[in-house]
């Protein structure tokens, strides 16, 4: 469903590896540089994750990020 409506789907974490993402990362730390480089002004980003991978730390960086 996400690929049908999104320009880019990024999966993070071993449990998300099976989804049909455009890009997959083992953890949020490895995903961070890629995501910070990919986002552009006015992009809409949906973060969906369990608390276990601590994606909220990455979300906090995006909230402060100015591009």
């Amino acid at each position: 469903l996400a690929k049908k409506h999104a320009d880019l789907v990024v999966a993070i974490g071993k449990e998300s590896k099976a989804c049909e993402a455009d890009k997959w990362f083992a953890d949020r730390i490895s995903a961070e540089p890629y995501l910070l480089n990919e986002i552009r002004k006015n992009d809409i980003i949906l973060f969906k994750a369990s608390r276990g991978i601590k994606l909220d730390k990455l979300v906090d960086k995006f909230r402060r990020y100015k591009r």
Side-chain angles (χ1 to χ4, degrees):
L1 184 61
K3 287 193 62 92
K4 185 176 179 181
H5 299 287
D7 293 325
L8 176 67
V9 176
V10 177
I12 302 171
K14 65 180 181 179
E15 298 200 10
S16 69
K17 193 169 187 174
C19 77
E20 297 178 18
D22 297 304
K23 194 84 172 162
W24 177 82
F25 295 93
D27 55 50
R28 67 176 167 79
I29 294 168
S30 58
E32 183 178 326
Y34 174 81
L35 291 171
L36 290 174
N37 186 55
E38 288 297 311
I39 62 168
R40 301 290 179 257
K41 187 175 183 174
N42 298 320
D43 279 355
I44 298 170
I45 303 168
L46 168 67
F47 289 95
K48 166 65 180 100
S50 67
R51 301 277 299 163
I53 66 167
K54 298 180 179 152
L55 196 60
D56 54 306
K57 294 179 185 290
L58 185 57
V59 171
D60 289 341
K61 287 187 179 188
F62 273 88
R63 286 184 178 148
R64 295 187 305 268
Y65 188 69
K66 304 287 188 228
R67 183 157 216 162

